Amino acid sequence: MGDFEPVSVGIVGASGYGGVQLVRLLLDHPNVDIVYLGGQGSAGKPFSDIYPHLEHRFKLEVEPVEVDRIADRCQVVFLSLPNGLAWTMAPALLEKGCKVLDLSADYRFFNLDTYQAWYGGDRTDGEVAASAVYGLPELYRDRIQEANLVGCPGCYPTASLLAVAPLLKQGLIAPETLVIDAKSGTSGGGRQAKTNLLLAEASSSISAYGVARHRHTPEIEQICSDLAGHEMMVQFTPHLVPMVRGILATVYATLRDPGLVREDLATIYNAFYRSSPWVKVLPSGVYPQTKWACGSNLNYIGIEVDPRTGRVIVMSVIDNLLKGQAGQALQAMNLMLGLEETAGLPTLGFYP
Amino acid sequence: MGDFEPVSVGIVGASGYGGVQLVRLLLDHPNVDIVYLGGQGSAGKPFSDIYPHLEHRFKLEVEPVEVDRIADRCQVVFLSLPNGLAWTMAPALLEKGCKVLDLSADYRFFNLDTYQAWYGGDRTDGEVAASAVYGLPELYRDRIQEANLVGCPGCYPTASLLAVAPLLKQGLIAPETLVIDAKSGTSGGGRQAKTNLLLAEASSSISAYGVARHRHTPEIEQICSDLAGHEMMVQFTPHLVPMVRGILATVYATLRDPGLVREDLATIYNAFYRSSPWVKVLPSGVYPQTKWACGSNLNYIGIEVDPRTGRVIVMSVIDNLLKGQAGQALQAMNLMLGLEETAGLPTLGFYP
Amino acid sequence: MGDFEPVSVGIVGASGYGGVQLVRLLLDHPNVDIVYLGGQGSAGKPFSDIYPHLEHRFKLEVEPVEVDRIADRCQVVFLSLPNGLAWTMAPALLEKGCKVLDLSADYRFFNLDTYQAWYGGDRTDGEVAASAVYGLPELYRDRIQEANLVGCPGCYPTASLLAVAPLLKQGLIAPETLVIDAKSGTSGGGRQAKTNLLLAEASSSISAYGVARHRHTPEIEQICSDLAGHEMMVQFTPHLVPMVRGILATVYATLRDPGLVREDLATIYNAFYRSSPWVKVLPSGVYPQTKWACGSNLNYIGIEVDPRTGRVIVMSVIDNLLKGQAGQALQAMNLMLGLEETAGLPTLGFYP
Amino acid sequence: MGDFEPVSVGIVGASGYGGVQLVRLLLDHPNVDIVYLGGQGSAGKPFSDIYPHLEHRFKLEVEPVEVDRIADRCQVVFLSLPNGLAWTMAPALLEKGCKVLDLSADYRFFNLDTYQAWYGGDRTDGEVAASAVYGLPELYRDRIQEANLVGCPGCYPTASLLAVAPLLKQGLIAPETLVIDAKSGTSGGGRQAKTNLLLAEASSSISAYGVARHRHTPEIEQICSDLAGHEMMVQFTPHLVPMVRGILATVYATLRDPGLVREDLATIYNAFYRSSPWVKVLPSGVYPQTKWACGSNLNYIGIEVDPRTGRVIVMSVIDNLLKGQAGQALQAMNLMLGLEETAGLPTLGFYP
């Protein structure tokens, strides 16, 4: 890869947390150049007006969001926009030869009906949507390598699906018993000012939200169903935790075979993730802290079996802004470009 | 109650968080006087050497822990000690006519075998233990009124049991589906210095601990079984949340009758807690934040039904140091003394 | 005071942190009834729509802000509005016989020119403004007792002025050496959504703001000058600290008499605050934590002298929402109504 | 540097925060290999028993601390021990040809009398101590390049000295007016369990400590005196802030020439730090947040002049564990080895 010509990369929607993480990661990636930053509200301003601490590394100006301007300059485009906007741009970018990675929900669904039932809107890009690949490399690595359009997973689905994939793929659990209790730092809510995300409100407190109706539910169910080989539902509850970054998904399910012990499952998980450099299965009795993953693209998984109840409890942690968002998008980009899956991605969290 | 002679109260183990909360609450209680503070390590020191901010209200000195000294002066004794110590003192105090409220696990169990299986030790106080009442007033109010010895519930059991009691009492859920995912601030771990409770470790992070083996499990199961009328097990997982105070228990269970809707359950909960001034059932779509309860003795309960999965999800919050510990002990003391259940207890949290 | 007829109290601007603290404190005050809540945006809604955790204690609805409606029902009115609004209402309320306590900056200045230089606006209420008393009871107790209009101090000025008042009054320091480095929790910024107050931004970080131009500077200077008996300036720098509540002011000044020792100053402070129940001067070597004050109306003061440099360092902590805002307003109200200065105010913080 | 043979590096005292940061940074450094980890308490255990999240990158075992064992294998040795231990090992390591970087206070002082007055002990290594260089590259770059023994600066001195160096070097301020009000995250207190560093104690609170007697005072004064060309004292007050990482030093001093404006000072600072890649002087009106620096080796400096008072206010932020400790030690190591000063060090913070 020594003589690799740097790939030209653009980011649309650069001013939010997704954007600034993409910038941070791409700046340290050995094979790419950021050549375009797009934003509606901040067009014309230097990026360092929004993030002064990056000025010494990055002097690009935010530009208007125009398809031609982007496609002329970029081989790869990251769309980091609110839900419902990416699909108005992605088809044109693809047509002009760009590879597109969308960080919103627009291209996460196999079926646009599901999207429209949970997100609304009136999509007219059915054919393009059908070509999109769900960007979770640990499950869809081969297809991502061939893709031109990737719908990057949500943060909660990433933590949740990596926790349950081996169980469902091997048919080890009763699907109707699956409960996912997930906990996220507040950066998952983005950088826009909302009262409930104020430090004075969200700090020193924890609460559930979106109970029985959070929009990551159908996304999790879609992939679980794909893994299980049949339609299934999950009970998913997100919680807001007083911390900036990190997601912990605590997953509960009843084992079909009550004779299975923790070591059996650890063996299965290690085999399942043998070729996945970003997933780390922890030894017996070690449970992951979100802090361990933060700052890296890693996913740590702890496994416990309760012989009294016959349940498996899986704990899965990620940095919601890296493996849950920008880092995972880069991981997918690496695959799309034929690079090492780990290229340019941090392997050490910033603990403590 | 205007001419009520103040009751003389003593606290053994006053230097921890349980002790300082008891002091704070008892100082503002209209019907009691604190006449004794006991501590092994801090005997001979003014209490305000440990907590300088209380000096203007409270000048008592910590004294050695000696049964005669205590019984001579106190009508009511709170034992706020590590597990395994209360049972070496309580029988003698009771014999000398004291009413005793124990904040440890020593007197929480109907059956000493369960205690010894989970906590160890070689108990010789079987008869006294058999006379103890489980100090959760919302479930055992009448018996607490008659009791001389109360084993005050753990913090997690309090939040969890108040969440599930109406469901189990009415037989509304399939008991084997019960999952309790609980989240606590770090003050639940006490004031002793432990590395995992350092701000630098516990802040900006969340993790599970004691998975499938936390010692509050048998306590929850004992009371659930009592409510359900048959032996049952629960899946209980505690988590450490980066905040000082507060517990949220998120409870999942499958409804036996899939036709039940949220309003049915709200009606049942409101009826169940009609005479319980400290439990507040929230309206539809409102989910409790721990912050709302902190600083008060209140328990807020939010209820949701997921018609897709047939599960009920109950969210229950308390201040772990008040309703989960010192406040609940005072509530029980009020009942033991024939006072109003609410006497001297804060009804407004300190939000934000 | 047993037969005191409850005083009718109204709050204009009830939906912010100042409002909700006033509600919380007034509900537990033995001598008042809240009879009116006013708000522009939330008129017509029950207050418990905004703060569901208070529903069990308080069912009032927010009403439109109309002077007649208020004056007809209220003997005392708290104005908890953004700067620049109180002065458009206060004169009419006073004329109709209400006692008015303003929590904004509008009535804090002896001289409207100073106000207009720092806050702008075109004030036409000069005579009314001249009748206002600066509502810091520890310095202006007698005048508050006679006042009908009180301009309640800012949070930073309260912590700062209580720290320096004895020094300036006794002429102990060189005025031009006075540096006040103040640190506040983010609730001081109010409940409105601002990006810089998001948990994801403000948590895990500290920074200065408003350096050399914060609008509490002229307020501090005005009272310092009054105490010193001559015009003087101060160096005041506020900082945003990742916590909800609390202010610490660390004050530096050079002693005029290098022979003064800590004990001399402690004696002077204790004498100065002899009749001030809310100020607590800490013993030698004890420095206040903001946490000690939070939840109470107390001000804790720690004093140190550096014999090497000849400076005194004073540390002063308050709860910015209580002694720094709503609690202090109640303290002033108590004085205006001839009640005990401590009536209805919490004397115990909620540590930890 | 392409054919550079990796340098063999050892760390003594690897289990604390200094140690784990050194490991993290050295693992990503292109020119070194970690070949030895020493610890007394944890000898014989894999490092990943202490820090399980690093297991995938680092499988070394902690070894006993023995000079021969270390010197045989290491060209460079980092000593990350409590104060008072390094000087018992460093002379022997130097004699055997190792380059030594000490992270404790042992080799920070030009004069052992000062060390002994503030730290105690009975030093017998005067000659070796005299050969040590103070490891702040921005001030002593040339001497570090020649050194075999470097005493790495304390965290507070680093933030403070970078803030004041240009002012003192140019004689711009009245030295006796210098006040440094510093704020630190709790990781500065290390990983050992102490009650005052518990989350339940330190969170939601701020307080000063060590007022007028913190042991970083003589270290700051020594370098300030060296810069000023004459003996001088400083007023230094540290504060404990509820966050994990980061230091902000807010510095106050009176300008000798009242005609100086902010732009003059910005020019002087930029010139002073022209060859210092880790110091970033911020533009007018931009004040640094600690969060910007965390995760990088950067120091951000904001400058303000108050024309009313004639004072300059300088705000300086660093990550206390990187530029304040392990990062700075690597920066010095780079210089000692003739590498680029920036080699292997992160230039992008992990904001948010």
Side-chain angles (χ1 to χ4, degrees):
Chain A
M1 228 160 314
D3 302 329
F4 202 87
E5 176 83 5
V7 176
S8 300
V9 172
I11 304 168
V12 182
S15 63
Y17 288 141
V20 72
Q21 294 300 319
L22 282 170
V23 166
R24 178 174 171 263
L25 295 172
L26 291 166
L27 283 175
D28 277 347
H29 195 294
N31 308 112
V32 306
D33 277 349
I34 308 177
V35 300
Y36 168 86
L37 284 188
Q40 226 54 278
S42 44
K45 284 203 285 191
F47 189 65
S48 61
D49 272 18
I50 314 171
Y51 297 111
H53 65 296
L54 297 181
E55 196 269 346
H56 65 291
R57 285 288 308 275
F58 193 58
K59 300 193 194 299
L60 236 55
E61 202 169 89
V62 182
E63 301 182 45
V65 180
E66 298 161 1
V67 166
D68 284 344
R69 183 193 288 255
I70 302 168
D72 285 355
R73 307 214 309 257
C74 304
Q75 297 166 271
V76 173
V77 182
F78 292 92
L79 302 176
S80 183
L81 297 163
N83 298 320
L85 293 179
W87 73 267
T88 66
M89 300 180 56
L93 289 167
L94 290 164
E95 186 147 338
K96 288 172 179 288
C98 299
K99 290 180 185 290
V100 176
L101 297 109
D102 176 31
L103 279 71
S104 83
D106 285 16
Y107 289 110
R108 293 176 188 161
F109 290 91
F110 301 164
N111 186 325
L112 278 188
D113 292 344
T114 313
Y115 175 88
Q116 290 181 156
W118 288 78
Y119 290 86
D122 200 9
R123 297 280 291 266
T124 57
D125 61 329
E127 207 169 327
V128 170
S131 78
V133 174
Y134 189 73
L136 191 59
E138 287 74 13
L139 302 184
Y140 300 102
R141 185 170 285 113
D142 295 349
R143 294 170 57 191
I144 295 168
Q145 283 168 335
E146 308 300 320
N148 289 319
L149 173 60
V150 164
C152 298
C155 50
Y156 285 123
T158 298
S160 303
L161 292 168
L162 293 173
V164 300
L167 299 174
L168 289 170
K169 192 71 184 176
Q170 306 289 333
L172 300 176
I173 57 170
E176 73 281 3
T177 65
L178 189 57
V179 171
I180 301 171
D181 188 284
K183 297 93 175 166
S184 175
T186 69
S187 64
R191 198 174 183 248
Q192 276 171 312
K194 296 173 200 151
T195 299
N196 69 318
L197 300 181
L198 289 175
L199 187 148
E201 294 289 313
S203 169
S204 305
S205 204
I206 183 170
S207 62
Y209 66 101
V211 183
R213 61 168 191 279
H214 191 276
R215 298 198 291 192
H216 283 174
T217 307
E219 183 182 340
I220 298 171
E221 289 180 344
Q222 163 187 269
I223 307 300
C224 284
S225 299
D226 195 29
L227 287 160
H230 56 76
E231 289 298 304
M232 60 174 285
M233 288 188 299
V234 303
Q235 193 70 51
F236 169 69
T237 309
H239 296 76
L240 203 59
V241 179
M243 60 188 186
V244 177
R245 306 170 92 131
I247 285 182
L248 164 64
T250 312
V251 176
Y252 303 87
T254 299
L255 290 166
R256 276 191 169 132
D257 175 355
L260 282 176
V261 295
R262 207 207 83 88
E263 286 63 38
D264 300 327
L265 296 180
T267 303
I268 290 165
Y269 272 72
N270 276 311
F272 190 90
Y273 289 121
R274 193 183 312 118
S275 312
S276 290
W278 295 113
V279 181
K280 303 295 170 194
V281 181
L282 293 165
S284 177
V286 180
Y287 307 142
Q289 306 187 16
T290 52
K291 183 175 289 218
W292 291 353
C294 286
S296 83
N297 198 49
L298 290 163
N299 167 235
Y300 290 99
I301 290 180
I303 306 170
E304 198 55 81
V305 168
D306 188 343
R308 299 168 67 255
T309 63
R311 277 201 195 79
V312 58
I313 300 104
V314 186
M315 293 142 280
S316 165
V317 306
I318 58 169
D319 183 334
N320 61 305
L321 298 177
L322 293 185
K323 183 62 178 162
Q325 190 184 41
Q328 183 150 268
L330 252 75
Q331 188 185 349
M333 179 200 77
N334 285 340
L335 291 169
M336 293 165 85
L337 296 176
L339 300 169
E340 284 293 320
E341 191 170 333
T342 52
L345 282 165
T347 59
L348 294 170
F350 42 65
Y351 174 95
Chain B
M1 231 158 312
D3 301 329
F4 202 88
E5 176 84 3
V7 175
S8 299
V9 172
I11 303 169
V12 182
S15 64
Y17 288 142
V20 72
Q21 294 301 319
L22 282 170
V23 167
R24 177 174 172 262
L25 295 172
L26 291 166
L27 283 175
D28 278 347
H29 195 294
N31 309 113
V32 305
D33 277 348
I34 308 178
V35 300
Y36 168 85
L37 285 188
Q40 224 56 276
S42 44
K45 285 204 284 190
F47 189 65
S48 60
D49 273 18
I50 314 171
Y51 296 113
H53 64 297
L54 297 182
E55 196 269 344
H56 65 292
R57 285 288 307 274
F58 192 58
K59 300 192 195 300
L60 235 56
E61 202 169 271
V62 182
E63 303 181 44
V65 180
E66 300 161 1
V67 166
D68 285 343
R69 184 193 287 256
I70 301 169
D72 286 353
R73 304 213 312 256
C74 304
Q75 297 166 273
V76 173
V77 181
F78 292 92
L79 301 176
S80 184
L81 297 163
N83 298 319
L85 292 180
W87 73 267
T88 65
M89 299 181 56
L93 290 167
L94 290 164
E95 185 147 338
K96 288 172 178 288
C98 298
K99 290 180 184 290
V100 176
L101 296 110
D102 176 30
L103 280 70
S104 83
D106 285 15
Y107 289 110
R108 292 177 187 161
F109 290 91
F110 302 163
N111 186 325
L112 279 187
D113 291 346
T114 314
Y115 175 88
Q116 290 180 157
W118 289 77
Y119 289 86
D122 199 11
R123 298 279 290 267
T124 56
D125 61 329
E127 206 169 328
V128 169
S131 78
V133 174
Y134 189 73
L136 192 58
E138 288 74 14
L139 302 184
Y140 300 102
R141 186 170 284 115
D142 295 350
R143 293 171 56 191
I144 294 169
Q145 283 169 334
E146 308 299 320
N148 290 318
L149 173 58
V150 165
C152 298
C155 51
Y156 285 123
T158 298
S160 302
L161 293 169
L162 294 173
V164 301
L167 299 173
L168 290 170
K169 191 73 184 175
Q170 305 289 334
L172 300 176
I173 56 169
E176 73 281 4
T177 65
L178 189 58
V179 170
I180 301 172
D181 188 284
K183 298 95 174 165
S184 175
T186 68
S187 64
R191 197 172 185 248
Q192 276 172 311
K194 296 174 200 149
T195 299
N196 69 319
L197 300 181
L198 289 174
L199 187 148
E201 294 289 312
S203 172
S204 304
S205 203
I206 183 169
S207 61
Y209 66 102
V211 183
R213 61 167 192 280
H214 191 277
R215 297 197 292 190
H216 283 174
T217 308
E219 184 183 338
I220 299 172
E221 290 180 345
Q222 162 187 271
I223 308 298
C224 284
S225 299
D226 195 30
L227 288 160
H230 57 75
E231 289 298 304
M232 60 173 285
M233 287 189 299
V234 304
Q235 193 69 54
F236 169 69
T237 310
H239 295 77
L240 204 57
V241 179
M243 60 187 186
V244 177
R245 306 168 91 132
I247 285 181
L248 165 64
T250 312
V251 176
Y252 303 87
T254 299
L255 290 166
R256 277 190 168 132
D257 175 355
L260 281 176
V261 296
R262 206 207 85 89
E263 285 65 35
D264 300 327
L265 296 179
T267 304
I268 290 165
Y269 271 72
N270 277 311
F272 190 90
Y273 289 120
R274 193 184 310 119
S275 311
S276 291
W278 294 112
V279 181
K280 303 296 169 192
V281 181
L282 293 164
S284 178
V286 179
Y287 306 142
Q289 305 186 16
T290 53
K291 183 176 289 220
W292 291 352
C294 286
S296 82
N297 198 51
L298 290 163
N299 167 235
Y300 290 99
I301 290 180
I303 306 168
E304 197 56 83
V305 167
D306 188 341
R308 298 167 68 255
T309 63
R311 276 202 196 79
V312 58
I313 300 104
V314 186
M315 292 143 279
S316 165
V317 307
I318 59 169
D319 182 333
N320 61 307
L321 297 178
L322 293 185
K323 183 62 179 163
Q325 190 184 41
Q328 182 149 269
L330 253 74
Q331 188 185 349
M333 179 200 75
N334 285 341
L335 291 169
M336 293 165 86
L337 296 176
L339 301 168
E340 284 293 319
E341 191 169 334
T342 51
L345 282 165
T347 58
L348 294 169
F350 44 64
Y351 175 93
Chain C
M1 231 158 312
D3 301 328
F4 202 88
E5 176 83 3
V7 175
S8 300
V9 171
I11 305 169
V12 183
S15 64
Y17 288 142
V20 72
Q21 294 301 319
L22 282 171
V23 166
R24 176 174 173 263
L25 294 173
L26 291 166
L27 284 174
D28 278 347
H29 195 294
N31 308 113
V32 306
D33 277 349
I34 308 178
V35 300
Y36 168 87
L37 284 188
Q40 223 56 276
S42 45
K45 285 204 283 191
F47 189 65
S48 60
D49 273 18
I50 314 171
Y51 296 111
H53 64 297
L54 297 182
E55 196 269 345
H56 65 292
R57 285 289 308 274
F58 192 58
K59 300 194 194 299
L60 235 56
E61 202 168 89
V62 182
E63 302 181 46
V65 180
E66 298 160 4
V67 167
D68 285 343
R69 183 192 287 256
I70 301 167
D72 285 354
R73 303 211 316 253
C74 304
Q75 298 166 270
V76 172
V77 182
F78 293 92
L79 302 176
S80 183
L81 297 164
N83 298 320
L85 292 179
W87 73 268
T88 66
M89 299 182 56
L93 289 167
L94 290 164
E95 186 148 337
K96 286 172 180 290
C98 298
K99 289 179 185 291
V100 176
L101 296 110
D102 176 31
L103 279 71
S104 83
D106 285 16
Y107 290 110
R108 292 177 188 160
F109 290 90
F110 302 163
N111 186 326
L112 279 187
D113 291 346
T114 313
Y115 175 88
Q116 291 182 153
W118 289 78
Y119 289 86
D122 200 9
R123 297 281 291 269
T124 58
D125 61 328
E127 207 169 326
V128 169
S131 78
V133 173
Y134 189 72
L136 192 58
E138 288 75 13
L139 302 184
Y140 301 101
R141 187 170 284 115
D142 295 349
R143 293 171 56 190
I144 294 169
Q145 283 169 334
E146 309 299 320
N148 289 318
L149 172 59
V150 164
C152 297
C155 51
Y156 285 123
T158 298
S160 303
L161 293 169
L162 293 173
V164 300
L167 299 174
L168 290 170
K169 192 70 183 178
Q170 305 289 333
L172 301 176
I173 57 169
E176 72 282 4
T177 65
L178 189 58
V179 170
I180 301 172
D181 188 284
K183 299 94 174 166
S184 176
T186 69
S187 64
R191 199 174 182 246
Q192 276 171 311
K194 295 172 200 151
T195 299
N196 69 318
L197 300 182
L198 289 174
L199 187 147
E201 294 288 313
S203 172
S204 305
S205 203
I206 183 170
S207 62
Y209 66 101
V211 183
R213 61 167 192 279
H214 191 276
R215 297 198 292 190
H216 283 174
T217 308
E219 183 183 339
I220 298 171
E221 290 180 344
Q222 163 187 270
I223 308 298
C224 284
S225 299
D226 195 29
L227 287 160
H230 56 75
E231 288 298 305
M232 59 173 285
M233 288 190 299
V234 303
Q235 194 69 54
F236 169 69
T237 310
H239 296 77
L240 204 58
V241 179
M243 60 186 185
V244 178
R245 307 168 91 131
I247 286 182
L248 165 64
T250 312
V251 176
Y252 302 87
T254 299
L255 290 167
R256 277 189 168 134
D257 174 357
L260 282 176
V261 295
R262 206 207 85 89
E263 285 64 36
D264 300 328
L265 296 179
T267 304
I268 290 164
Y269 271 72
N270 277 310
F272 190 90
Y273 289 121
R274 193 182 311 117
S275 312
S276 290
W278 294 113
V279 181
K280 303 295 170 193
V281 181
L282 293 164
S284 177
V286 180
Y287 306 143
Q289 305 187 16
T290 53
K291 183 176 289 219
W292 292 352
C294 287
S296 82
N297 198 51
L298 291 163
N299 167 235
Y300 289 99
I301 290 181
I303 305 169
E304 198 57 82
V305 168
D306 189 341
R308 299 167 68 254
T309 63
R311 277 201 195 81
V312 58
I313 300 103
V314 185
M315 293 143 278
S316 165
V317 307
I318 57 169
D319 182 333
N320 62 305
L321 298 178
L322 294 185
K323 183 62 180 163
Q325 190 184 42
Q328 182 149 270
L330 253 74
Q331 187 184 351
M333 179 200 75
N334 285 340
L335 291 169
M336 293 165 85
L337 296 176
L339 300 169
E340 283 293 319
E341 191 169 334
T342 53
L345 282 166
T347 58
L348 293 170
F350 43 65
Y351 175 92
Chain D
M1 229 158 314
D3 301 329
F4 201 88
E5 176 82 6
V7 176
S8 300
V9 172
I11 304 170
V12 182
S15 64
Y17 288 141
V20 73
Q21 294 300 319
L22 283 170
V23 167
R24 177 175 172 262
L25 294 172
L26 291 166
L27 283 175
D28 279 346
H29 194 294
N31 308 113
V32 306
D33 277 349
I34 308 178
V35 300
Y36 168 85
L37 284 188
Q40 224 55 276
S42 44
K45 286 204 284 191
F47 189 65
S48 60
D49 273 17
I50 314 172
Y51 297 111
H53 64 297
L54 297 181
E55 195 270 344
H56 65 291
R57 284 288 309 275
F58 191 58
K59 301 192 196 300
L60 235 55
E61 202 169 89
V62 182
E63 302 181 46
V65 180
E66 299 160 1
V67 166
D68 284 343
R69 184 192 287 257
I70 301 167
D72 285 354
R73 305 213 313 256
C74 304
Q75 297 166 271
V76 172
V77 182
F78 292 92
L79 302 176
S80 184
L81 296 164
N83 298 320
L85 293 179
W87 73 268
T88 65
M89 300 180 55
L93 290 167
L94 290 164
E95 187 147 337
K96 287 170 179 292
C98 299
K99 290 182 185 288
V100 176
L101 297 108
D102 176 31
L103 279 72
S104 82
D106 285 15
Y107 290 109
R108 292 176 188 160
F109 290 90
F110 301 164
N111 185 325
L112 279 188
D113 292 345
T114 313
Y115 175 89
Q116 291 183 155
W118 289 77
Y119 289 85
D122 199 11
R123 298 280 292 267
T124 57
D125 62 328
E127 207 169 327
V128 170
S131 78
V133 174
Y134 189 73
L136 191 59
E138 288 74 13
L139 302 184
Y140 301 101
R141 186 171 284 114
D142 295 349
R143 294 170 56 190
I144 295 169
Q145 283 168 334
E146 308 300 320
N148 289 319
L149 173 60
V150 164
C152 297
C155 50
Y156 285 123
T158 298
S160 303
L161 293 169
L162 294 173
V164 300
L167 299 173
L168 290 170
K169 192 72 184 177
Q170 306 289 333
L172 300 175
I173 57 170
E176 73 281 4
T177 65
L178 189 57
V179 170
I180 301 172
D181 188 285
K183 297 94 175 167
S184 175
T186 68
S187 64
R191 199 175 182 245
Q192 276 171 311
K194 295 173 199 151
T195 299
N196 69 317
L197 300 181
L198 290 174
L199 187 147
E201 294 289 314
S203 170
S204 304
S205 203
I206 183 169
S207 61
Y209 66 101
V211 182
R213 63 168 190 276
H214 192 277
R215 296 197 293 191
H216 283 174
T217 307
E219 184 182 338
I220 299 172
E221 289 180 345
Q222 164 187 270
I223 308 300
C224 283
S225 300
D226 195 30
L227 287 160
H230 57 76
E231 288 299 305
M232 60 174 284
M233 288 188 298
V234 302
Q235 192 70 51
F236 169 69
T237 310
H239 296 77
L240 203 59
V241 179
M243 60 188 188
V244 177
R245 304 168 92 129
I247 286 182
L248 164 64
T250 312
V251 176
Y252 303 87
T254 299
L255 290 167
R256 276 189 169 132
D257 174 355
L260 282 176
V261 295
R262 206 207 84 88
E263 286 63 36
D264 300 327
L265 296 179
T267 303
I268 290 165
Y269 271 72
N270 277 311
F272 190 91
Y273 289 121
R274 194 182 311 118
S275 311
S276 291
W278 295 113
V279 181
K280 303 297 169 192
V281 181
L282 294 164
S284 178
V286 180
Y287 307 142
Q289 306 186 16
T290 53
K291 183 175 289 218
W292 291 353
C294 286
S296 82
N297 198 49
L298 290 163
N299 167 235
Y300 290 100
I301 291 179
I303 306 169
E304 196 57 81
V305 167
D306 189 342
R308 299 168 67 256
T309 63
R311 277 201 196 79
V312 57
I313 300 104
V314 185
M315 293 143 280
S316 166
V317 306
I318 58 169
D319 183 333
N320 61 304
L321 299 178
L322 294 185
K323 182 62 178 163
Q325 190 184 42
Q328 182 148 270
L330 253 74
Q331 187 184 349
M333 179 201 75
N334 285 340
L335 291 169
M336 291 165 86
L337 296 175
L339 300 169
E340 283 294 319
E341 191 169 334
T342 53
L345 283 166
T347 60
L348 294 169
F350 43 66
Y351 175 95

